[in-house]
Each structure stands twice: as structure tokens, then as C-alpha cells.
Amino acid sequence: MAMATSPTPQPPYSFGVPWPELNEGLSYADAVPSIHPAPTLIGFYSTEYKSSAPLEGWLQRIRNGQITIDGQVVTDPETVLRAGSKVVYHRFPWKEPPAPYLLEVLYEDDHMVAINKPSGLQVLPGGLFQQRTVLQQLKWNTWKGIPVSHRCVEAHPVPVHRLGRGTSGILLCAKTKPAKTCLAKLFAVGTSAIEEKRKFNQKLDKDRRISKFYRALVTGLLEDDEVLIKQPIGVMQYPGVAKGLYIATSSGKPALSKVSVVERDVLENRTLVQVEIHSGRPHQIRIHLAYIGHPLFGDPLYDIGGHPKSVESELVDGSFAEDGGYNKPTNPVPGDCGYFLHAHRVILFHPSTDEVVEITAPLPSVLQTSKELNRKEIPKEGLQCVAGSSS
């Protein structure tokens, strides 16, 4: 007698596994380059990875037995390294900062899945968050209907773009290799079009096969109902951000955002806006709205002009964290939350069928208009999928 199988859940539905208290730790491997004179173990790490930990921190890690050379634990910091040797730093498991774990699926088929990412959850591993990510929950979930020949790296969907940790809303993930290639290209085309200085076009045409609409709460009252922001975005050195902080700068790369007023709150001196982005620069919406004098309400990092609120270097007192690394920066960093930004709606050409698909993520109450909040029956906004020709 055949065993009954549980039916595949249909969107919208939620999944997620509570986070373990500690993650599994990490291992970072390197091959020692051919250098003359041969470096010592402490010389190698304190030079190559000085942004990871101060000298005293690396000494602690070595003496703790966290470094191996060609598979053997070495605790003498002055050990001379040979070219070609494999050195590995083993980071002990640690308790990551709190993060939500439940994910709502808004749309799903055999090629892609759209997740409603909660604010406070990182998409991919980085910094303190190596396990508490969307990617890890995608790995832990049981997915059906993914052909073995078309799987993305492993038998689970993978994100094809990023949302900031404090940003909520629609995150597109690919189930198959062809879908991953196609969706990634959709996101890249808009950015490349801006770089080539093509004319702004509001229509969803063959050059622009995906449209992304965000809802945001900004400080102050926007005077104009619509604003087109073309400010370039570049990078500056910033304490606590090894690769630099993205900011508004004339020497940066082209970026384009269209801002439309949804509702003005005169009493609270803030405005609900819709933002349609035509390029995908990191932190683009936060930077662009700050650039025009209306930073996101509650944004701890970006101030008027699209620059950080503080650019002073942090004082270095020689102390370091328990694991040997640097203490958490006192200055705000991009991953800090507190602002209100939601990826509300996406319209795209399906990566397999080429049909038009529209996906909508329910709005948090703080990003709803007075009319939306006062409706007697607020409809479920989980999914709107329109399939048909692109005409």
C-alpha cells in the first residue's frame, strides 16, 4: 500500500527553523604565498588580516590553538611559514545577534520563489551573521520539484539579489540554474542601462524587464509629488566597514530612483513615499532620499546629503573582543536597523515562460496610509500573479 505524501504547500505559507544558540563556527583557509623573507605566523595574520583583529587579538587566537598549518595545530606565533603551506584560522562557534527566522513565501513555481523577508534578517552570510540568514533557512527547508539537472549549486533556492538587513519585503530566489542566470541578468540590465545613460522610460519594455517598487517613511514633507534622483553613488573610507561605506558623491557610479509621494503627515512632519529604482546600487534608496534632504525615518546611518552622520575615526584603545576581533564599532554601520523601508511590489517577465508576473508583499502598518489603515476589511495582499502576454 502506497504511503500518502503531504501536499506541497501553496503560497502564501511560512517556513523556518528556530536558530540554535550557537552557530557552527567558521574556518578560513589560505595558501602561504612565496615571500622572501619567509613570514612568521603572527606576521602573516597581523598583516594580511589586520582588518579582522588587532595584533594582540591574533596572538590570542594563535595561543588558543585556533590556527593550523598543514593540518597541525600551532601555538607559537613566531613559527616561520613555508611557501605553499596551508594555514587555517578556526573561528569558535558564537552566539549571533537576535534575528527573526520565519519566512513567508509569496510566490512559488518550479523556477523561482519570492520570499517576504522580515526586517532584521540578513540575506547572505557576513560579519556577525554567518548562520542567521535567509540563505541558511532556504538550505534547511525541504523543497520539492527542483530537477536535479537544474538545481542551483545545492537542492535549495538561492537569492539573486540583496536587501539590507533592516529592509523588509520581496526577495527573489532562483530554484534552477537557468532561472538564476536569467533573474540575475534582469537585475543587472537596469543598472547597466543607467551606466550607458539611456533615456528614462517608465514602461516595462524589452530593455527593462523588471520593475521594483518600495514603500518608505521619510523625515520631513516632500514639496513635489514626484522627484527623479540621478545622484551617483560611490565609496568612502569609514570606521567599522572594511570595504568602505557607500555614499552620495559626484565621483561615484550612476544611479536612478523615482520617488512619488503617497501621503504627507503634517503633524508628524514625515512622508510616505513610493520609490521605484532603476539601478541597484547598495543602499541606493537610503542614500538618495537622504541626498534630497529627506532621510529615512529612523535611519541611524545616513543624514541629509547622503553622507553618514558621523565620519570621525573611532578611538583605538588597544582592547579587543572576547574572540580576539575588534569590538563592535560605536559609529553606526550599514547593517544597523531602525529605518522603515519595504520592497512592496515587483513586476517582471518570468525567467522561463516570459509571462508577466506581479508579486506584492503586505505592507507593515507603519508604512500604510490612513486610508489603508482605516479600511474595515484589509484584504490579504500576499500574492498577485498576473500571467499573460507582455502587451
Side-chain angles (χ1 to χ4, degrees):
M1 183 175 179
M3 295 290 292
T5 57
S6 57
T8 302
Q10 296 299 312
Y13 69 90
S14 297
F15 70 93
V17 177
W19 305 114
E21 183 178 2
L22 300 177
N23 61 26
E24 298 176 349
L26 284 174
S27 294
Y28 303 87
D30 287 280
V32 178
S34 178
I35 300 175
H36 185 78
T40 62
L41 187 59
I42 184 59
F44 175 80
Y45 277 107
S46 62
T47 301
E48 296 296 319
Y49 295 102
K50 59 183 178 182
S51 63
S52 170
L55 175 64
E56 290 297 324
W58 278 116
L59 287 171
Q60 172 182 290
R61 291 170 173 178
I62 293 170
R63 290 165 180 158
N64 279 348
Q66 294 177 250
I67 311 293
T68 59
I69 302 177
D70 296 327
Q72 299 296 316
V73 174
V74 176
T75 58
D76 180 2
E78 299 302 324
T79 301
V80 177
L81 298 177
R82 295 177 300 176
S85 289
K86 180 181 179 181
V87 292
V88 181
Y89 159 51
H90 302 273
R91 187 175 180 182
F92 293 142
W94 72 93
K95 184 176 182 178
E96 299 183 12
Y101 67 88
L102 278 178
L103 297 173
E104 182 184 23
V105 173
L106 302 170
Y107 173 89
E108 183 179 7
D109 59 29
D110 290 340
H111 307 275
M112 66 179 189
V113 57
I115 302 294
N116 186 10
K117 187 189 85 68
S119 175
L121 181 61
Q122 195 155 298
V123 175
L124 299 177
L128 291 175
F129 294 94
Q130 295 295 326
Q131 184 181 73
R132 298 185 178 188
T133 64
V134 172
L135 180 62
Q136 188 62 60
Q137 290 293 347
L138 292 172
K139 289 181 179 179
W140 283 341
N141 191 48
T142 301
W143 299 94
K144 298 180 179 180
I146 307 179
V148 175
S149 60
H150 285 173
R151 286 175 179 171
C152 290
V153 186
E154 299 180 46
H156 62 81
V158 293
V160 294
H161 63 110
R162 297 195 189 195
L163 294 177
R165 189 167 77 89
T167 304
S168 58
I170 300 169
L171 177 72
L172 293 179
C173 305
K175 282 186 171 184
T176 67
K177 292 178 182 178
K180 180 182 178 182
T181 300
C182 181
L183 290 172
K185 184 177 180 180
L186 292 186
F187 282 94
V189 164
T191 300
S192 63
I194 299 302
E195 291 178 341
E196 294 169 12
K197 299 182 179 180
R198 294 178 183 173
K199 292 183 178 180
F200 170 69
N201 192 338
Q202 297 185 36
K203 295 181 180 180
L204 185 64
D205 54 29
K206 292 187 179 300
D207 286 330
R208 188 161 159 262
R209 298 173 62 82
I210 185 168
S211 292
K212 298 155 285 185
F213 301 89
Y214 292 71
R215 183 75 67 92
L217 182 64
V218 304
T219 58
L221 302 176
L222 270 75
E223 182 176 348
D224 298 323
D225 289 339
E226 288 191 354
V227 181
L228 196 62
I229 309 171
K230 302 179 181 180
Q231 174 62 32
I233 293 174
V235 179
M236 65 171 284
Q237 290 186 336
Y238 184 78
V241 184
K243 296 182 179 180
L245 178 70
Y246 288 91
I247 60 167
T249 172
S250 58
S251 61
K253 295 182 178 180
L256 179 64
S257 303
K258 180 184 177 184
V259 180
S260 304
V261 171
V262 177
E263 184 177 73
R264 296 179 178 89
D265 187 341
V266 178
L267 292 178
E268 297 293 337
N269 189 37
R270 56 194 192 186
T271 307
L272 271 179
V273 297
Q274 173 182 279
V275 185
E276 182 181 4
I277 59 172
H278 295 257
S279 53
R281 304 300 178 196
H283 316 305
Q284 176 175 320
I285 294 176
R286 298 170 67 184
I287 294 169
H288 270 180
L289 288 168
Y291 174 75
I292 64 171
H294 297 278
L296 292 186
F297 183 81
D299 193 332
L301 177 60
Y302 289 105
D303 206 353
I304 291 174
H307 288 193
K309 294 181 178 181
S310 173
V311 294
E312 295 181 0
S313 298
E314 296 186 295
L315 296 177
V316 179
D317 58 7
S319 64
F320 51 89
E322 185 178 351
D323 71 344
Y326 290 105
N327 288 309
K328 185 181 184 302
T330 56
N331 287 334
V333 293
D336 292 342
C337 302
Y339 56 90
F340 300 99
L341 178 62
H342 184 72
H344 179 43
R345 190 160 58 99
V346 172
I347 306 172
L348 73 154
F349 285 85
H350 192 281
S352 177
T353 67
D354 211 38
E355 295 174 335
V356 176
V357 175
E358 179 177 350
I359 305 168
T360 304
L363 288 165
S365 58
V366 70
L367 294 177
Q368 294 182 31
T369 65
S370 300
K371 184 177 180 181
E372 289 166 340
L373 286 170
N374 291 332
R375 288 175 181 167
K376 291 182 179 179
E377 294 183 8
I378 300 177
K380 182 70 174 178
E381 290 187 295
L383 166 68
Q384 295 179 6
C385 176
V386 182
S389 66
S390 58
S391 58

